[in-house]
Amino acid sequence: MPRVRVHNFSVSVDGFATGEGQSPDAPFGHAGTRLHEWFFPTRTFQRMLGKPGGSTGADDAIASTWEAGIGAEIMGRNKFGPLRGPWENDDWKGWWGPNPPFHTPVFVLTHHPRPSVEMKGGTTFHFIDATPQEVLRQAREAAGGLDVRIGGGPSTVREFLAEDLVDHLHVAVVPIALGRGERLWDGLEGLEKRFRAESVTTPGGVTHMTFTRP
């Protein structure tokens, strides 16, 4: 059975996966870029931008596993764009420019479906209002036997974890305290009983935790 995976999901030491006050100019609210500064220098991130170079240390070795074997992605609406409620128009096509880094079908969970958007490089965004089980069924069908990645944000990852639909979870615990925002772990007491847990801390102070279904 193809797996459901979460990769490179950053949280603060107090459990927040995004800050308060998100907007088009501040996708992660008051957290700014602090949750992801471990990732930006890596070769993996530079490749996502279509650029050469980047660091090749332990952070990159872990981050680089995000893409192999993925046939579709599921994300929440707020990861796709910052707007709430009915779409004002169809001009917004995501944060990632004309050639997003996914290169697969991407299923965007929203209470306001809209026509699919086909981008360069093989990414097509589909906007659906569905339960985690139903969107996962559609994503698996589109993935053609490959794995499905849950891309975020925190409420989407939390929902799939609560429904016991995740097989592999990689969380990067970043040594900052945000104090406010949206938390990942709320309502998931006993989560560790479902998984085999491992962790490694890299020189920059990031602790990479992986939870894998036995």
Side-chain angles (χ1 to χ4, degrees), residues 138-161:
Q138 294 187 37
R140 279 181 165 150
E141 184 175 309
L146 297 176
D147 290 350
V148 174
R149 182 174 54 233
I150 310 299
S155 61
T156 298
V157 173
R158 189 169 59 246
E159 188 173 16
F160 276 80
L161 286 169

Side-chain angles (χ1 to χ4, degrees), residues 43-53 99 101 103:
R43 180 171 58 180
T44 297
F45 182 73
Q46 296 304 311
R47 283 182 57 198
M48 290 171 66
L49 298 179
K51 297 180 179 180
N99 187 4
H103 311 301

Side-chain angles (χ1 to χ4, degrees), residues 79-176:
K79 181 176 177 180
F80 176 78
L83 304 175
R84 296 288 194 272
W87 300 94
E88 297 178 3
N89 55 60
D90 291 343
D91 292 342
W92 179 264
K93 294 179 172 61
W95 303 104
W96 307 278
N99 187 4
F102 310 108
H103 311 301
T104 67
V106 176
F107 293 84
V108 181
L109 285 167
T110 173
H111 294 304
H112 301 278
R114 54 179 272 194
S116 297
V117 176
E118 186 173 350
M119 308 291 284
K120 293 180 181 178
T123 298
T124 299
F125 293 107
H126 303 285
F127 304 87
I128 64 173
D129 185 3
T131 65
Q133 291 83 357
E134 173 58 20
V135 70
L136 181 56
R137 184 194 66 77
Q138 294 187 37
R140 279 181 165 150
E141 184 175 309
L146 297 176
D147 290 350
V148 174
R149 182 174 54 233
I150 310 299
S155 61
T156 298
V157 173
R158 189 169 59 246
E159 188 173 16
F160 276 80
L161 286 169
E163 295 293 333
D164 198 21
L165 297 175
V166 175
D167 301 301
H168 175 88
L169 169 68
H170 163 222
V171 174
V173 182
V174 182
I176 62 171

Side-chain angles (χ1 to χ4, degrees), residues 14-83:
D14 49 349
F16 292 97
T18 190
E20 192 175 83
Q22 291 175 279
S23 71
D25 296 326
F28 295 96
H30 83 286
T33 62
R34 289 180 290 161
L35 282 168
H36 305 93
E37 287 175 0
W38 70 271
F39 183 47
F40 296 150
T42 64
R43 180 171 58 180
T44 297
F45 182 73
Q46 296 304 311
R47 283 182 57 198
M48 290 171 66
L49 298 179
K51 297 180 179 180
S55 62
T56 57
D59 285 322
D60 180 65
I62 297 169
S64 67
T65 63
W66 82 287
E67 186 174 25
I70 294 293
E73 169 148 340
I74 297 168
M75 66 173 64
R77 175 174 173 175
N78 201 47
K79 181 176 177 180
F80 176 78
L83 304 175

